[in-house]
Amino acid sequence: ETGVTQTPRHLVMGMTNKKSLKCEQHLGHNAMYWYKQSAKKPLELMFVYSLEERVENNSVPSRFSPECPNSSHLFLHLHTLQPEDSALYLCASSPRRGSQETQYFGPGTRLLVL
Amino acid sequence: GNSVTQMEGPVTLSEEAFLTINCTYTATGYPSLFWYVQYPGEGLQLLLKATKADDKGSNKGFEATYRKETTSFHLEKGSVQVSDSAVYFCALQGGSEKLVFGKGTKLTVNP
């Protein structure tokens, strides 16, 4: 499955670093999502973008800053993270927003904050 | 609010055994229901889905039936293979695009 790609696949960063996660979808979809998967917790939706406009922010700390320059690309900019932010960050896309739209996931970026 | 409860793992089976992973949900209205699978080191892949009551989703020998009367969407496979070893997530999608996931069930299939 190469519909949704994410880079890098693994990232180690210090708490004072600034890094960015990249997601690209090749499916012609108009909605994109960031999820966080922590150990022993259900997946948590972080952000939703529709046609490059952020439509949902689920109380995510400001040290996570998303950017969607076009409908195919989604970034998650990271700065001054905490060790508890270590997790698998998953990107997903769907044809459009809506409860009937199936979301397709990328392979994820495994982040370790030291 | 909406929630999903799936059986605690881990589940360990021998090859060719029958698999059931239970999933129940709480939701208002008529959600869509999904099973996603996550193989080691990878992201989530959609395994199957059902969008209305009594629908049966199926893929790769896996099946799940949307049971509104019991608010369940149990995953079954008649004969598992070593390659089915993964973590399985039940999820629902209610009145918005927000997916609500269960905690996941880790399946290990031994040869």
Side-chain angles (χ1 to χ4, degrees):
Chain A
E1 172 58 51
T2 57
V4 181
T5 58
Q6 291 186 240
T7 54
R9 294 293 307 274
H10 301 272
L11 178 63
V12 179
M13 59 186 291
M15 289 190 285
T16 59
N17 292 157
K18 290 184 180 181
K19 297 287 184 184
S20 296
L21 310 185
K22 179 182 177 181
C23 174
E24 184 173 2
Q25 58 94 2
H26 312 273
L27 302 169
H29 290 171
N30 288 326
M32 296 187 76
Y33 313 81
W34 279 116
Y35 285 85
K36 177 183 180 181
Q37 186 180 27
S38 304
K40 302 186 190 305
K41 291 177 67 175
L43 277 86
E44 303 169 74
L45 178 64
M46 300 175 72
F47 300 104
V48 180
Y49 274 83
S50 177
L51 295 171
E52 304 138 50
E53 179 182 345
R54 188 192 310 180
V55 295
E56 186 161 340
N57 172 355
N58 281 336
S59 303
V60 179
S62 59
R63 57 186 184 269
F64 295 91
S65 175
E67 178 190 3
C68 188
N70 56 63
S71 59
S72 298
H73 294 86
L74 184 65
F75 294 89
L76 188 62
H77 303 301
L78 316 172
H79 65 98
T80 59
L81 294 192
Q82 304 300 310
E84 60 265 28
D85 297 321
S86 299
L88 181 67
Y89 289 85
L90 292 164
C91 173
S93 70
S94 63
R96 59 197 65 81
R97 290 188 68 201
S99 60
Q100 298 299 315
E101 301 295 332
T102 299
Q103 294 176 28
Y104 296 87
F105 286 77
T109 294
R110 187 160 297 281
L111 173 67
L112 177 62
V113 181
L114 300 176
Chain B
N2 296 343
S3 66
V4 173
T5 302
Q6 61 181 104
M7 63 186 288
E8 297 281 337
V11 174
T12 302
L13 297 173
S14 298
E15 205 164 25
E16 299 184 4
F18 184 85
L19 168 71
T20 300
I21 301 178
N22 289 338
C23 172
T24 57
Y25 67 91
T26 301
T28 54
Y30 302 93
S32 295
L33 301 173
F34 304 82
W35 278 100
Y36 282 87
V37 58
Q38 187 175 34
Y39 297 102
E42 300 185 14
L44 298 181
Q45 297 179 23
L46 177 65
L47 182 60
L48 51 85
K49 69 175 183 179
T51 58
K52 61 182 187 297
D54 300 324
D55 266 3
K56 177 185 284 188
S58 61
N59 185 27
K60 299 181 181 180
F62 291 89
E63 292 182 341
T65 301
Y66 190 141
R67 301 283 189 202
K68 189 163 180 63
E69 63 277 14
T70 54
T71 62
S72 65
F73 193 55
H74 304 320
L75 182 68
E76 297 182 335
K77 186 174 185 181
S79 177
V80 293
Q81 306 300 311
V82 173
S83 57
D84 294 326
S85 298
V87 181
Y88 292 82
F89 293 90
C90 184
L92 71 81
Q93 194 172 36
S96 72
E97 67 279 327
K98 182 176 181 178
L99 275 168
V100 176
F101 287 88
K103 292 184 177 181
T105 302
K106 183 177 181 180
L107 170 66
T108 301
V109 180
N110 295 319

